[in-house]
Amino acid sequence: MPVTGTAGAALAAVPGPAAVATAAATTDRGDPGQGLGIRLVDAPVARRADPRALKGVVDHLDPGTTIKRRIEVSNTSGHRMRVSLYPAAADIRGHAFVFAPDRSANELTSWTSIAPTEIDLAPGQARRAWFTTRVPSDAWKGERYGVIWAQTTAGPDVAHNIGLASRVGIRMYLDIGPGGEPPSDMSIDRLTPERDATGRPVLAAQVHNTGGRALDLSGSLSLSDGPGGLRAGPYPAQLGVALRPGETGRLAVVMDARLPEGPWKVDMVVQSGLIKREVSATVVFPKSGIGRPVTPTGASRLILPSIVVALGLVSAGVLTWRRRRARSHPEPRRA
């Protein structure tokens, strides 16, 4: 059953396993956070088709709004964990989502609290907590970034002079401002065939964020009409590229070194959440270095969540029913 947050938005349960921690360091005592996971339990119903909103807190809030949602922390290891929960600052710099060190604060984290702040997890156990974000009524318009972290530590002991900390987190992208949410959009302005230092062909897409929200880029590339009618792919794009509104960045796809130089017809898909851009071009990969850039052809596509379509149909049905009712049952005129 959907849960309603303080802001009044309907929330739905988020499926899928928790994200599992990776080792923060390699030592003779291992990683204290191996097996630590965290995931969102609730996400807005209106965003349930958005893959970004299922993994991170992606929302638009009016000043003076409060949201309250659940997260789940899990321990899949064979040892007990003492886990700390806290928000910390993040930013988008150099076309990447950058985590601030330790418990660094920013404006968004000053609005966010988590309860409880510490939990004990037995082996195989999962427990839930709440995070609350209260946006001040005088908050300035703009997008803020942060992370909700779950952290476990191993302190110094007789055999080790240095402590270890491991953490996993949920990204936060909160846009603040009155009125509706700024639209998200992008353009792919250029495709450049390249050859890296190891001899592998690379296709680099120049992507421009033309919307009002940050983008986390993903994508894939398929090749056809190659020498002798060859086809190849799809190849995944390298992940980790994030763009602020107005920024232009590079999204690269690396392929097999045995791939012929071409010419090839390339079909590339670039996506961020519900925004998808599909473009095509003909390229020839150079023997080394950077080849001739080309301007692709294609169009953007917005994937509408089913809830939005359903609400639109319901609204149209109600309007039609009201009009029919008004014609068949006219209201009496008042003197």
Side-chain angles (χ1 to χ4, degrees):
M1 177 163 306
V3 180
T4 302
T6 310
L11 303 179
V14 175
V20 178
T22 56
T26 301
T27 69
D28 58 351
R29 57 176 162 170
D31 171 25
Q34 187 65 42
L36 175 64
I38 187 171
R39 72 177 184 94
L40 278 172
V41 177
D42 306 315
V45 169
R47 297 178 184 271
R48 64 183 177 185
D50 186 346
R52 294 179 73 205
L54 301 181
K55 296 183 292 185
V57 183
V58 182
D59 217 332
H60 169 80
L61 303 176
D62 291 337
T65 300
T66 296
I67 60 171
K68 186 174 183 180
R69 295 176 188 166
R70 296 174 297 171
I71 57 176
E72 183 178 270
V73 183
S74 60
N75 175 11
T76 59
S77 75
H79 60 273
R80 180 175 292 273
M81 291 184 182
R82 180 72 172 174
V83 181
S84 299
L85 301 174
Y86 60 91
D91 200 1
I92 293 179
R93 295 196 307 269
H95 304 155
F97 193 92
V98 179
F99 310 126
D102 300 323
R103 300 189 181 219
S104 302
N106 62 8
E107 194 174 32
L108 176 55
T109 63
S110 72
W111 304 340
T112 303
S113 60
I114 303 175
T117 57
E118 288 195 350
I119 55 177
D120 282 311
L121 292 176
Q125 185 180 22
R127 290 182 59 187
R128 293 181 176 181
W130 289 89
F131 78 87
T132 303
T133 299
R134 295 180 174 89
V135 183
S137 58
D138 59 351
W140 286 92
K141 180 179 180 180
E143 195 168 39
R144 276 82 164 176
Y145 312 107
V147 186
I148 297 173
W149 288 110
Q151 177 175 306
T152 185
T153 60
D157 54 29
V158 175
H160 307 91
N161 295 325
I162 299 175
L164 272 180
S166 293
R167 60 183 187 175
V168 290
I170 296 171
R171 298 184 184 188
M172 303 178 73
Y173 303 76
L174 289 187
D175 182 70
I176 310 301
E181 179 177 355
S184 296
D185 204 355
M186 72 175 95
S187 64
I188 302 176
D189 303 328
R190 188 171 64 229
L191 297 177
T192 303
E194 304 173 358
R195 186 80 60 172
D196 69 11
T198 65
R200 297 177 301 175
V202 178
L203 190 69
Q206 178 179 286
V207 184
H208 181 203
N209 183 349
T210 59
R213 296 295 308 268
L215 301 177
D216 286 310
L217 301 182
S218 61
S220 63
L221 178 71
S222 297
L223 296 90
S224 59
D225 298 340
L230 289 176
R231 304 174 66 91
Y235 297 96
Q238 292 180 329
L239 300 178
V241 178
L243 299 178
R244 284 179 175 270
E247 283 189 336
T248 298
R250 180 180 187 271
L251 184 68
V253 179
V254 181
M255 289 152 279
D256 193 293
R258 295 169 296 179
L259 200 71
E261 296 172 10
W264 293 95
K265 178 181 181 293
V266 295
D267 294 289
M268 189 169 189
V269 177
V270 179
Q271 186 168 349
S272 175
L274 300 176
I275 303 301
K276 179 182 288 187
R277 172 74 84 170
E278 301 174 344
V279 296
S280 301
T282 298
V283 303
V284 176
F285 293 102
K287 295 182 182 300
S288 63
I290 299 176
R292 183 176 66 87
V294 297
T295 301
T297 60
S300 61
R301 186 153 57 93
L302 175 63
I303 310 169
L304 290 175
S306 57
I307 186 68
V308 174
V309 176
L311 288 175
L313 293 175
V314 170
S315 298
V318 170
L319 180 61
T320 302
W321 179 82
R322 284 178 176 170
R323 286 177 176 172
R324 288 177 180 171
R325 184 178 185 277
R327 286 197 296 267
S328 58
H329 301 281
E331 294 182 0
R333 294 183 178 180
R334 298 181 180 179

